[in-house]
Amino acid sequence: MKSLAFDNRFVHELPGDPEPSPHVRQVHGACYSRVMPTPVRAPQLIAWSPEVAALVGFDEADVRSPEFAAVFAGNALMPGMEPYAACYGGHQFGNWAGQLGDGRAITLGETVKVGGERWELQLKGAGPTPYSRRADGRAVLRSSIREFLCSEAMHHLGVPTSRALCLVLTGEEVVRDMFYDGHPRAEPGAVVCRVSPSFIRFGNFEIFASRGDEAVLTQLVDFTIARDFPELAGPPEARRAEWFRTVCERTARLIAHWMRVGFVHGVMNTDNMSILGLTIDYGPYGWIDNFDPGWTPNTTDAGGRRYRFGNQPHIAHWNLLQLANALYPVFGAAEPLRASLEHYAEVYDDESSRMLAAKLGFEEFRDGDAGLVDTLHQLLTRAEVDMTIFFRKLASIDLDAPALDPLREAFYSEEKAASSEAEFEAWLATYAARARSEGMTADERRARMNAVNPRYVLRNYLAQEAIDAAEQGDYGLIAELLDVMRRPYADQPGRERFAAKRPDWARQRAGCSMLSCSS
Ligand code: AMP
Ligand code: MG
């Protein structure tokens, strides 16, 4: 396997924990603790992303070598790797949770390419760290498959995200109580290598603010700007203000993308919010089948449904507010923080309007379109209509004779289709008139709409089918899904089944509509 260049700036430029042992503890005054991955019995590579391998600098022969599986299972290090777990805190479900940290993630190192492109390689499920609290630092195969596939699916959908290099079986079992209800079972263990320019989270800053450690907080802010936002220049105060504004902007864009494709993160705690505005920490996430702003995939969130689909824009703002509070001691003034929080709302509104207009095939969002969108959202919710199929089919309706028939496939219930038919036809008539005013040809309109409305998304039941097969030792569906999700906007003849709406069996099945943080 060829070597990579590592510079590991996080551990070289920031204060570390002097204590070398992995025992669980509160770590003060340090951004990380050095910790080695715990070796596993029998590493077996079961999936990898060719695009990410190329980004990092591996070719197929590297990936197929036994050293590769050993390194990405945590059994060996490449020269230059310096493993560590980061210290962070966070607000979970709206409450300050104190120190969290990488409890089951271990960064191996930051590799830098010739042009300066940086990729942090991080194992998830590689064993205990000082931040593992009561858990074991391991991950189960089902969650690892979900993280691996979704990271890549999101990237190909054009949504900012961490990436996934590979998925390795450990040959060991992990015991999990999937719904915390007294039914633990042994499951196959796995390790995912995820890849991102940075895994710094809002919570990395919050922990130092909560402890009144302004020195390290300031150091971390300036480090993050220098390493991860090198385009920002100017004197420190102006640069920091510009940085927070950028974080707000990127977060707004991220959430608009989630709303566009029907992604529900499920655990938008501040420790799961990337400072780069990427989707990170794929846990009990889910995809919208029937359009429902009130839906959350996470059973842990079922009570308050804080992280429901329609609440994501609001929660992102709340999370940015917590970050702003944490940054206040460094800024010493509330005004730039406050202005950027307002800027979040403006950017989100702009992005969201642009996105909605594009989904409907309009050049731009006009006065009056808001009503059209609201009515549509209400109808889609009430009539239980599949979001992905609906928008895809909408691109092909005849604007001169708009009718519900071509959209029928998107309905989950014939009864509801029948009872809402008149309202849908009324909406379609208004919509068609508005769309006609754009003056596009039918082909042009379809091409534009199909470029923002995916045909293929990683529906919960599809990931679950891949998991069921993998638990029986068949990894073929993981590879096939990865391949389908590479071109989510293209019609892929022969692969219609991957665009089908959720089958009945998946409606209430664990893993499909119900997930938990237990992974
Ligand atoms: P999450 O809800 O997955 O973002 O996790 C919240 C916190 O719990 C993070 O600090 C994780 O590192 C930690 N955690 C989750 N699962 C495990 C595990 N299996 N072992 C150790 N720590 C974990
Ligand atoms: Mg997390």
Side-chain angles (χ1 to χ4, degrees), residues 9-10 13-14 31 118 197-202 204-205 208 216-232 239-240 243-244 247 250 274-277 323 327:
R9 287 181 65 180
F10 195 86
E13 295 177 30
L14 291 168
C31 294
R118 172 176 311 276
S198 167
F199 282 98
I200 296 178
R201 302 138 193 275
F202 293 6
N204 291 73
F205 303 93
F208 297 108
V216 177
L217 177 61
T218 307
Q219 202 181 340
L220 181 62
V221 167
D222 291 337
F223 169 83
T224 303
I225 297 172
R227 190 191 68 172
D228 297 334
F229 296 79
E231 68 283 7
L232 302 180
R239 201 169 54 198
R240 289 174 192 151
W243 167 65
F244 184 65
V247 173
R250 289 198 192 174
S274 146
I275 202 70
L276 291 181
L323 176 60
L327 296 175

Side-chain angles (χ1 to χ4, degrees), residues 187-451:
E187 301 185 44
V191 175
V192 172
C193 177
R194 49 190 195 177
V195 174
S196 171
S198 167
F199 282 98
I200 296 178
R201 302 138 193 275
F202 293 6
N204 291 73
F205 303 93
E206 288 179 282
I207 188 70
F208 297 108
S210 79
R211 290 168 170 171
D213 191 343
E214 282 178 33
V216 177
L217 177 61
T218 307
Q219 202 181 340
L220 181 62
V221 167
D222 291 337
F223 169 83
T224 303
I225 297 172
R227 190 191 68 172
D228 297 334
F229 296 79
E231 68 283 7
L232 302 180
E237 267 180 31
R239 201 169 54 198
R240 289 174 192 151
E242 193 52 33
W243 167 65
F244 184 65
R245 191 179 161 86
T246 307
V247 173
C248 288
E249 249 174 52
R250 289 198 192 174
T251 305
R253 296 217 167 86
L254 173 70
I255 306 297
H257 275 294
W258 288 0
M259 303 310 285
R260 171 176 66 85
V261 298
F263 175 79
V264 191
H265 184 285
V267 210
M268 288 177 72
N269 293 334
T270 55
D271 54 301
N272 293 338
M273 296 291 293
S274 146
I275 202 70
L276 291 181
L278 307 175
T279 315
I280 56 165
D281 276 20
Y282 291 89
Y285 66 83
W287 290 84
I288 291 289
D289 293 310
N290 55 299
F291 185 86
D292 180 3
W295 185 68
T296 174
N298 183 358
T299 52
T300 317
D301 187 35
R305 288 186 299 137
R306 178 180 175 84
Y307 298 142
R308 62 189 183 274
F309 181 51
N311 211 30
Q312 298 187 122
H314 164 71
I315 292 294
H317 186 260
W318 190 89
N319 288 341
L320 286 163
L321 175 61
Q322 307 315 310
L323 176 60
N325 284 337
L327 296 175
Y328 176 74
V330 179
F331 282 60
E335 186 43 35
L337 294 163
R338 201 194 51 72
S340 292
L341 288 171
E342 262 174 35
H343 186 56
Y344 165 86
E346 289 159 11
V347 176
Y348 180 75
D349 283 349
D350 283 358
E351 289 293 317
S352 166
S353 303
R354 257 175 7 121
M355 172 268 283
L356 290 165
K359 282 183 82 70
L360 291 168
F362 307 158
E363 187 83 51
E364 60 184 13
F365 200 77
R366 291 189 202 150
D367 293 343
D369 288 343
L372 195 71
V373 167
D374 280 353
T375 308
L376 175 62
H377 284 172
Q378 283 171 30
L379 278 174
L380 292 177
T381 309
R382 214 162 357 108
E384 280 181 34
V385 181
D386 190 90
M387 176 181 174
T388 305
I389 298 176
F390 180 86
F391 280 100
R392 196 75 185 185
K393 295 269 169 196
L394 190 65
S396 302
I397 63 161
D398 180 355
L399 294 182
D400 294 318
L404 190 58
D405 267 349
L407 297 165
R408 260 183 225 283
E409 188 194 322
F411 285 74
Y412 280 92
S413 142
E414 275 177 32
E415 209 180 5
K416 288 190 172 159
S419 65
S420 57
E421 185 158 349
E423 285 174 287
F424 263 104
E425 292 198 327
W427 182 86
L428 281 168
T430 317
Y431 167 71
R434 166 70 180 86
R436 275 196 308 269
S437 76
E438 293 285 339
M440 292 179 208
T441 66
D443 283 349
E444 196 185 338
R445 184 169 159 272
R446 188 180 313 113
R448 289 175 73 118
M449 287 174 74
N450 285 355

Side-chain angles (χ1 to χ4, degrees), residues 88 92 100-104 132-133 135-138 176 271-272 281:
Y88 54 82
Q92 299 189 315
L100 298 166
D102 287 330
R104 61 174 155 178
S132 293
R133 298 190 286 173
D136 56 8
R138 290 300 185 190
R176 285 289 182 273
D271 54 301
N272 293 338
D281 276 20

Side-chain angles (χ1 to χ4, degrees), residues 14-258:
L14 291 168
D17 174 11
E19 166 75 59
S21 125
H23 76 268
V24 174
R25 59 187 181 271
Q26 293 292 306
V27 172
H28 290 269
C31 294
Y32 63 89
S33 304
R34 291 186 189 260
V35 59
M36 294 298 279
T38 305
V40 298
R41 199 165 57 211
Q44 183 193 349
L45 177 75
I46 58 170
W48 60 288
S49 160
E51 290 90 352
V52 180
L55 276 181
V56 171
F58 292 122
D59 59 25
E60 177 154 6
D62 296 323
V63 173
R64 303 255 177 235
S65 69
E67 296 96 307
F68 185 91
V71 167
F72 294 105
N75 284 17
L77 294 179
M78 294 172 70
M81 285 178 165
E82 296 180 90
Y84 72 90
C87 179
Y88 54 82
H91 281 83
Q92 299 189 315
F93 297 94
N95 304 304
W96 174 244
Q99 177 182 297
L100 298 166
D102 287 330
R104 61 174 155 178
I106 297 179
T107 290
L108 295 173
E110 298 166 41
T111 174
V112 269
K113 307 268 289 275
V114 178
E117 193 181 299
R118 172 176 311 276
W119 295 109
E120 180 172 336
L121 308 180
Q122 187 179 79
L123 300 185
K124 186 161 172 183
T129 77
Y131 310 98
S132 293
R133 298 190 286 173
R134 284 171 301 279
D136 56 8
R138 290 300 185 190
V140 293
L141 177 59
R142 65 182 151 87
S143 312
S144 308
I145 291 173
R146 286 169 48 82
E147 174 140 18
F148 175 80
L149 285 177
C150 202
S151 308
E152 292 304 284
M154 290 283 267
H155 168 75
H156 294 295
L157 282 162
V159 182
T161 178
S162 60
R163 305 292 300 272
L165 172 63
C166 59
L167 175 58
V168 178
L169 271 181
T170 61
E172 294 177 4
E173 292 194 323
V174 176
V175 176
R176 285 289 182 273
D177 186 354
M178 189 167 173
F179 290 111
Y180 308 113
D181 61 357
H183 296 93
R185 70 168 177 122
E187 301 185 44
V191 175
V192 172
C193 177
R194 49 190 195 177
V195 174
S196 171
S198 167
F199 282 98
I200 296 178
R201 302 138 193 275
F202 293 6
N204 291 73
F205 303 93
E206 288 179 282
I207 188 70
F208 297 108
S210 79
R211 290 168 170 171
D213 191 343
E214 282 178 33
V216 177
L217 177 61
T218 307
Q219 202 181 340
L220 181 62
V221 167
D222 291 337
F223 169 83
T224 303
I225 297 172
R227 190 191 68 172
D228 297 334
F229 296 79
E231 68 283 7
L232 302 180
E237 267 180 31
R239 201 169 54 198
R240 289 174 192 151
E242 193 52 33
W243 167 65
F244 184 65
R245 191 179 161 86
T246 307
V247 173
C248 288
E249 249 174 52
R250 289 198 192 174
T251 305
R253 296 217 167 86
L254 173 70
I255 306 297
H257 275 294
W258 288 0

